[in-house]
Every structure is written in structure tokens, then in C-alpha cells.
Amino acid sequence: MFDSEVLLPDLWDILGAVPVTLTMALAIFVLSTIVGSLFAMVEYRRVPVLRELVVAYKVAFKGVPMVIVIFLAYYGLPPALQFLASLIGIEFNGHATPNWVTLIVALTACVSAFQAEVVKGALNSFDTGQADAAYSLGYKRSQLFRRVMLPQVIVAAIPDLANSFMVIMKALSLGFAIEVVDIFAQSQLTAALNFYYLEAFLIAVVIYMVIAYIVTHGADRVEAALRART
């Protein structure tokens, strides 16, 4: 039976995981966007060799389930870090690496492949006729990118970047497999104490919906403001 009396206590317990979840999501979003942008620029500029490597990376990480990448990082990252530290003469216990760091690295590797497609699509949406006009006015390549191309690319990418953030929020729930507690994991732990699973998961759903609304609404406002300026 549904018990409304446990909603408020469970809400406070689950809300405790929100700051941690948002922090990890933001870190993954920023890192994956930076890496994905570099990959997109390599493809956009058609850099020899590197372009083929980027394509292979995207195929691999878009095809492999995220949970497998998480477990590969969980078992492979600590010894890899320990080996690299030994090469430069640093004593480091790789197995002391926090699980949340492993999760951030794994999901960043996965999401970077998708962010590369987002940025690549935004770059391809740029009208090359504007570049010709800018060059005719004496713009250098750096000035063209900074003053003309970048503002339009950012505006074009905002909707998909907002979607990517919500994908990251949902992907963090896989972290429970390596004992990283996010909103979903906290709802499971809370329900395990009183066996009111329906109530706990409904609270988690509401929290996710509120975050999604804030992110979507905020992205729409930013996009409208930047579009008005550009």
C-alpha cells in the first residue's frame, strides 16, 4: 500500500544525494564537452591520421555499453595509474582511487564521443559564405573563429548540450554498480530501510523531472539571449 507519511522523511534523505549528483554531472559535462570539442575540430579540419583515430574512438565508445566501460575503468584504471606513477618514480597506490573518480573518468570517455557529434553538427551548420565575407573584410582565421563562428556554433549546440547533461544525469545511476551513490542509488538505500520502494522511486522521479525542467528552461533562456545578440 502507498504510504504518504514516509514521503517527507524519504525526500530529505534522497535530497542529500542531489549536490553530489549535480557536481559529478557538471564535472563530466565540462570535461566531455572539452574533449568532444577537440575531437570535433579534428574532424572539421580533416586533420590526417588524427581524424581516423577520432572516428575509431567514437565508434568504439558509442557502441560499447556504458556499464561495461565503468567496470573496465573500475578494474583497469587503478593499476594503470599505479604503473604510470612508477614510470616517473612516484609512489602511488592506484587502488586507493575513489570510485567517484573512476565513474567520472569512465562516463567522460563515453559522453565525449556523443559530445563530439554535437559540436561537429554545430560546426557544420555554420554558413561558409560568412567566412568568405569575413576574409574579404580582412579578418584573420582566429578573428573569424572568435567573432563570427564561435558565437553561432555555441547557439546551435545549446539544445543538444542540454540534452547531453540530462543523459549524464541518468547515466550516473549506473555508478551504483561500483558503490557510487547518486539520486537513484540513494532512493534504493532509503527504500531498503523501510521497504517503501514505490514512494522512494516516485520521489526520485520528481527530483529528476525538476532538474530536467530547470536545465531545459535555463538552456532555452540562454539560447534566446545569445541568439538575440548574434
Side-chain angles (χ1 to χ4, degrees):
M1 293 292 292
F2 186 84
D3 189 351
S4 60
E5 293 184 358
V6 303
L7 291 177
L8 189 58
D10 284 3
L11 174 62
W12 289 117
D13 287 339
I14 298 173
L15 282 177
V18 171
V20 175
T21 304
L22 290 176
T23 301
M24 290 191 295
L26 185 60
I28 295 169
F29 177 79
V30 171
L31 293 173
S32 63
T33 301
I34 293 173
V35 175
S37 298
L38 294 175
F39 288 168
M41 287 301 298
V42 168
E43 286 196 275
Y44 186 76
R45 299 292 186 186
R46 299 184 180 276
V47 181
V49 181
L50 288 180
R51 182 172 181 267
E52 285 70 25
L53 292 176
V54 167
V55 171
Y57 178 94
K58 292 196 301 181
V59 169
F61 280 91
K62 285 194 294 185
V64 178
M66 289 186 181
V67 68
I68 294 180
V69 177
I70 290 173
F71 278 116
L72 287 174
Y74 181 72
Y75 291 109
L77 185 61
L81 291 176
Q82 190 164 330
F83 173 74
L84 292 175
S86 65
L87 292 179
I88 57 178
I90 298 177
E91 293 186 4
F92 175 73
N93 182 12
H95 296 284
T97 305
N99 289 350
W100 61 267
V101 173
T102 301
L103 180 63
I104 288 176
V105 171
L107 291 185
T108 296
C110 293
V111 179
S112 293
F114 297 96
Q115 297 291 68
E117 295 292 354
V118 171
V119 178
K120 179 184 174 183
L123 288 170
N124 289 334
S125 69
F126 179 72
D127 185 5
T128 55
Q130 297 183 53
D132 296 335
Y135 287 137
S136 67
L137 293 174
Y139 276 57
K140 297 180 180 178
R141 176 174 293 185
S142 60
Q143 292 175 315
L144 167 66
F145 180 78
R146 187 177 67 255
R147 297 182 181 180
V148 181
M149 190 175 186
L150 184 60
Q152 297 183 46
V153 168
I154 292 175
V155 171
I158 285 177
D160 289 330
L161 290 177
N163 290 336
S164 296
F165 186 84
M166 292 314 305
V167 169
I168 293 170
M169 287 289 299
K170 292 186 287 186
L172 283 171
S173 63
L174 299 173
F176 195 42
I178 58 172
E179 300 178 352
V180 177
V181 178
D182 71 325
I183 295 172
F184 168 71
Q186 186 59 53
S187 65
Q188 284 188 303
L189 295 174
T190 300
L193 297 176
N194 55 20
F195 300 101
Y196 288 103
Y197 286 92
L198 176 61
E199 291 81 354
F201 289 136
L202 284 176
I203 292 171
V205 167
V206 172
I207 292 174
Y208 279 118
M209 290 177 64
V210 170
I211 294 173
Y213 173 79
I214 293 173
V215 171
T216 303
H217 185 65
D220 289 342
R221 289 177 65 92
V222 171
E223 181 186 6
L226 291 178
R227 195 175 294 277
R229 293 181 58 183
T230 56

